[in-house]
Amino acid sequence: MTTRECTRCVMSSAVDPALVLVDGVCNHCVRYDALLDARVVPQEQRPAKLAQLVATISHAGQGKQYDCIIGVSGGVDSSYVALQAKRLGLRPLAVHVDNGWNSPLAELNMERLLRVLEIDIHTEVPRSDEFYDLQRSFLKASTPDADIPSDHAIQATLWRVARKHRVRFIISGMNFATESISVPSWSYGHSDWRYIRDVHRRFGRVSLRTYPHCGFGTLAWTTLVRRVRIVSILNYLDYDKSKAVDDLVEQLGWVPYEGKHYESIFTRWVQGFYLLRKFGIDKRRGHYSDLINSGQMTRAAALAAVSGSDYSEQLRAEDEILIREKLSLTAEQLDEIVDEPASSFRAYRNSYGFVQFLRGFVNRLRRLGLYPR
């Protein structure tokens, strides 16, 4: 079968079989254009809109120790959010979920970030037996959603800490400029506790008694009653990733990583080897396509970048030793997981339709100016 390739970005049917082309342009680029105005503040409106947002956050935080919550991982986006929050005069509380996979460089970057910016931190440490059992379950489920246990725990912890401190705003590192492409077949379930429970029901061995989680009931209580809002503050800025890295290096002594999300040992194995080897998914193509659409990278440079690997065999071998140790897998068992036929979240109980409805509803609120970008 002939591979279909977008003429604007670097997405292709080889990594997304559901790719649709219209006059050579893919559905992801069409979606980017359609959502741009709802997600990113127009350049001429940014100073006023940002000032208004900061004033709203500050007012809501009066009389409280903190006026916003920020998640930190040591990565570029979350680190830059912390830097900007302090520059804007906000009083953030940093939240970090230490799942046991921080790279030494991530630990160093977070330590420098928090020390230089003088930010307090709440660190959540999930019980290792529960957390690793859930990660092992997702690998055995044979879906490309291996990072869902981390992503969901982070989301649930941010909501809970915001409620505990009566803080109404969670400032997220998510941004449309570099993270707009959404491919359900690549990764699904960050907020779908029904899906996570079903995967664990089939493959888990340890009861998830303390694992940080939240269902739609908790989400409704947090957003409708407690009125907690997630703000993607980078959508209010002229966010250029390479310039952000330079800023972090200069201001904080921050050290760049070799790949996106390589602050996590498990995630770099998943994205650098597992997804590509088992599912044919190269997440770099989505990342670079976002950079192309936001004017931060040329298509030629992106094609050159994806032609090689940024994950060496030596590093993979070292990471797999740790993965086998933490997840209680033998080398043979890990190889069997990699070689097992690929599956999808659709093979498990899920709330996909409702999740898509919620996303569309929130985007409509953004267009009407009723929800932060």
Side-chain angles (χ1 to χ4, degrees), residues 220-290:
W221 172 262
T222 305
T223 58
L224 299 179
V225 179
R226 302 296 292 273
R227 296 188 300 154
V228 177
R229 297 289 182 265
I230 295 179
V231 179
S232 299
I233 203 167
L234 300 181
N235 290 336
Y236 291 75
L237 304 171
D238 184 14
Y239 185 54
D240 183 298
K241 198 137 194 170
S242 62
K243 292 179 181 178
V245 169
D246 292 341
D247 202 3
L248 290 169
V249 171
E250 180 180 351
Q251 298 298 320
L252 308 174
W254 191 90
V255 182
Y257 304 92
E258 293 183 355
K260 184 177 174 64
H261 295 315
Y262 276 28
E263 62 269 21
S264 164
I265 295 171
F266 185 75
T267 301
R268 75 184 179 199
W269 177 80
V270 168
Q271 296 192 9
F273 168 72
Y274 180 66
L275 292 181
L276 190 59
R277 169 68 172 75
K278 186 179 179 78
F279 305 94
I281 295 172
D282 188 345
K283 281 202 168 181
R284 295 177 303 169
R285 284 189 175 264
H287 173 53
Y288 294 150
S289 293
D290 287 334

Side-chain angles (χ1 to χ4, degrees), residues 50-51 54 58 67-68 70 79-92 113 116-119 171 233-234 237-240 243-253:
L50 181 60
V54 171
S58 298
D67 54 22
C68 58
I70 57 175
S79 297
Y80 198 63
V81 163
L83 179 60
Q84 289 298 328
K86 292 294 286 188
R87 282 175 171 170
L88 292 168
L90 296 174
R91 297 176 287 109
L113 174 83
V116 174
L117 296 179
E118 298 181 328
I119 296 176
I171 302 184
I233 203 167
L234 300 181
L237 304 171
D238 184 14
Y239 185 54
D240 183 298
K243 292 179 181 178
V245 169
D246 292 341
D247 202 3
L248 290 169
V249 171
E250 180 180 351
Q251 298 298 320
L252 308 174

Side-chain angles (χ1 to χ4, degrees), residues 41-289:
V41 177
Q43 182 112 25
E44 67 278 5
Q45 299 178 20
R46 286 175 191 168
K49 292 285 188 181
L50 181 60
Q52 182 182 31
L53 176 64
V54 171
T56 300
I57 295 173
S58 298
H59 179 74
Q62 286 182 357
K64 302 170 186 176
Q65 186 175 5
Y66 310 105
D67 54 22
C68 58
I69 304 293
I70 57 175
V72 293
S73 65
V76 180
D77 298 335
S78 67
S79 297
Y80 198 63
V81 163
L83 179 60
Q84 289 298 328
K86 292 294 286 188
R87 282 175 171 170
L88 292 168
L90 296 174
R91 297 176 287 109
L93 170 64
V95 172
H96 174 64
V97 176
D98 185 354
N99 57 19
W101 294 108
N102 291 337
S103 69
L105 181 54
E107 296 281 0
L108 175 65
N109 279 334
M110 281 189 287
E111 186 278 325
R112 288 177 175 174
L113 174 83
L114 299 170
R115 173 172 48 82
V116 174
L117 296 179
E118 298 181 328
I119 296 176
D120 293 340
I121 185 168
H122 168 93
T123 300
E124 187 84 8
V125 184
R127 277 187 49 167
S128 59
D129 58 339
E130 295 182 22
F131 185 78
Y132 295 148
D133 185 62
L134 185 56
Q135 284 194 309
R136 184 173 53 244
S137 297
F138 267 86
L139 289 179
K140 289 184 175 182
S142 229
T143 72
D145 312 319
D147 259 326
I148 293 302
S150 293
D151 294 337
H152 186 80
I154 292 169
Q155 178 175 303
T157 301
L158 288 170
W159 289 122
R160 181 173 59 79
V161 174
R163 293 193 303 269
K164 176 183 176 181
H165 289 276
R166 299 183 299 115
V167 172
R168 285 195 50 217
F169 291 92
I170 297 171
I171 302 184
S172 168
M174 292 294 292
N175 65 93
F176 198 73
T178 71
E179 296 181 323
S180 66
I181 283 187
S182 175
V183 186
S185 63
W186 282 13
S187 180
Y188 167 78
H190 306 78
S191 57
D192 193 339
W193 180 232
R194 184 186 185 201
Y195 169 50
I196 296 169
R197 280 189 304 173
D198 196 46
V199 168
H200 187 258
R201 179 183 65 85
R202 297 201 198 184
F203 302 101
R205 303 195 299 251
V206 178
S207 178
L208 301 181
R209 295 180 179 178
T210 66
Y211 168 74
H213 66 276
C214 60
F216 293 122
T218 302
L219 176 65
W221 172 262
T222 305
T223 58
L224 299 179
V225 179
R226 302 296 292 273
R227 296 188 300 154
V228 177
R229 297 289 182 265
I230 295 179
V231 179
S232 299
I233 203 167
L234 300 181
N235 290 336
Y236 291 75
L237 304 171
D238 184 14
Y239 185 54
D240 183 298
K241 198 137 194 170
S242 62
K243 292 179 181 178
V245 169
D246 292 341
D247 202 3
L248 290 169
V249 171
E250 180 180 351
Q251 298 298 320
L252 308 174
W254 191 90
V255 182
Y257 304 92
E258 293 183 355
K260 184 177 174 64
H261 295 315
Y262 276 28
E263 62 269 21
S264 164
I265 295 171
F266 185 75
T267 301
R268 75 184 179 199
W269 177 80
V270 168
Q271 296 192 9
F273 168 72
Y274 180 66
L275 292 181
L276 190 59
R277 169 68 172 75
K278 186 179 179 78
F279 305 94
I281 295 172
D282 188 345
K283 281 202 168 181
R284 295 177 303 169
R285 284 189 175 264
H287 173 53
Y288 294 150
S289 293

